[in-house]
Amino acid sequence: MSGAIELDNLTLGYDGHPAVHHLSGTFSHGSMSAVVGPNGSGKSTLLKAIAGVLRPLEGRIVQAGDRRQAMAYLPQRAEIDRSFPADVTDLVALGLWKWRGLFGAIGRHDIKALEAALQAVGLVGFERRGIDTLSGGQLQRALFARVLLQDAKVILLDEPFTAIDEKTVSDLVGLVQRWHGEGRTVIAVLHDAELVRQIFPQTLLLARELIGWGPTETVMTRENLRRSRGMTEAWDEHAPWHEDGHGHSHEAAQ
Ligand code: ADP
Ligand code: MG
């Protein structure tokens, strides 16, 4: 069904080196899922692959319908180039490109949609502000307006609430809940376990491989979270030495 996404023995990585191993499972149509896990556990990698900007090393992602029309992807903020000379309207209107193409006409209906999107995120009056002058929260609001305009069946958000003010978080959480209510499939990487438990019915817990995937309360257990931390450390070649039996200790040298 359109909006459902199936991962089939998916292995993802960079330059042929696996970063996330053997993921299988389904995001069902209209579901709202949090992707959680320690730093470096592969959350952004998974979102990139679902968005189609990273090709799997192994396995496949199956989605019904036209993927380009059906998906909106908001990358992690660190990956967004704010020095690009653009104002809020330019940034938000990028959401229309998917439909119109780069040189397609933007009509009166589009202008109305754009105004409505800015209204929905509380950025009326900011139309001509350069994006380099926005606060983190304002930039995130503009990016949410862009997602709104895309009117996508599947919405992918990578850490949408990290390092922004409380008021913005609560406004944007409201938008995510609205999308869910409209039957869209929402997949979001989150750090705040409390927010995950409050808002997200489904959770996928990652630590370079799947630790758990299903109803949030069954996945976000203390035992699973402990396991996920341990596993990421085991994979991380840069993790500091722990305990003994592995030669010298960094602690001893500090
Ligand atoms: P998370 O989003 O959970 O913090 P990532 O998906 O960004 O984790 O990263 C997972 C692993 O893939 C990490 O070991 C990271 O160093 C590696 N990685 C991420 N992006 C790249 C890249 N562009 N090139 C090479 N390795 C990468
Ligand atoms: Mg990330």
Side-chain angles (χ1 to χ4, degrees):
M1 199 196 276
S2 177
I5 298 162
E6 189 190 336
L7 313 183
D8 176 13
N9 192 30
L10 193 63
T11 292
L12 306 169
Y14 302 90
D15 307 319
H17 298 289
V20 189
H21 297 253
H22 305 298
L23 304 181
S24 290
T26 303
F27 297 97
S28 55
H29 170 75
S31 59
M32 175 146 118
S33 312
V35 176
V36 300
N39 277 335
S41 58
K43 306 180 295 295
S44 295
T45 300
L46 174 59
L47 246 62
K48 280 180 205 164
I50 296 172
V53 299
L54 179 70
R55 201 133 49 97
L57 296 178
E58 208 190 316
R60 346 173 266 160
I61 300 171
V62 186
Q63 197 212 340
D66 180 344
R67 175 183 278 211
R68 282 162 310 163
Q69 275 199 358
M71 285 211 185
Y73 167 49
L74 176 53
Q76 209 169 328
R77 208 125 37 94
E79 297 187 21
I80 294 164
D81 180 8
R82 290 183 65 166
S83 63
F84 191 77
D87 62 26
V88 167
T89 300
D90 297 332
L91 180 74
V92 175
L94 283 174
L96 295 167
W97 283 11
K98 300 227 166 179
W99 299 342
R100 304 291 175 261
L102 200 41
F103 303 105
I106 289 188
R108 199 185 315 174
H109 173 78
D110 296 327
I111 305 270
K112 281 253 171 297
L114 202 145
E115 284 169 359
L118 287 175
Q119 176 98 46
V121 299
L123 282 185
V124 172
F126 285 77
E127 290 81 356
R128 292 292 153 212
R129 278 278 295 274
I131 59 172
D132 57 338
T133 70
L134 299 178
S135 72
Q138 290 164 341
L139 177 67
Q140 201 67 340
R141 287 174 186 270
L143 292 166
F144 266 65
R146 186 168 83 178
V147 171
L148 253 173
L149 266 191
Q150 288 180 40
D151 190 26
K153 291 219 167 44
V154 177
I155 297 174
L156 309 172
L157 306 168
D158 198 344
E159 297 200 23
F161 308 128
T162 299
I164 55 177
D165 60 284
E166 239 172 81
K167 172 79 170 86
T168 301
V169 171
S170 97
D171 288 353
L172 298 184
V173 162
L175 267 180
V176 172
Q177 288 178 306
R178 173 177 141 193
W179 289 330
H180 180 50
E182 291 167 347
R184 304 175 202 269
T185 305
V186 177
I187 305 173
V189 174
L190 291 194
H191 266 299
D192 182 344
E194 210 40 59
L195 195 59
V196 172
R197 290 194 176 96
Q198 277 171 20
I199 314 287
F200 286 80
Q202 303 283 315
T203 295
L204 187 161
L205 175 57
L206 207 56
R208 301 295 192 100
E209 60 185 69
L210 209 51
I211 303 291
W213 189 355
T216 295
E217 67 276 11
T218 66
V219 172
M220 296 281 280
T221 62
R222 186 179 292 211
E223 168 61 13
N224 275 348
L225 293 172
R226 193 191 58 72
R227 258 186 77 210
S228 74
R229 280 191 293 271
M231 290 184 68
T232 313
E233 274 169 23
W235 282 102
D236 186 355
E237 56 277 24
H238 304 298
W241 289 108
H242 289 295
E243 282 116 27
D244 48 305
H246 295 289
H248 71 279
S249 145
H250 280 308
E251 263 113 68
Q254 280 164 2

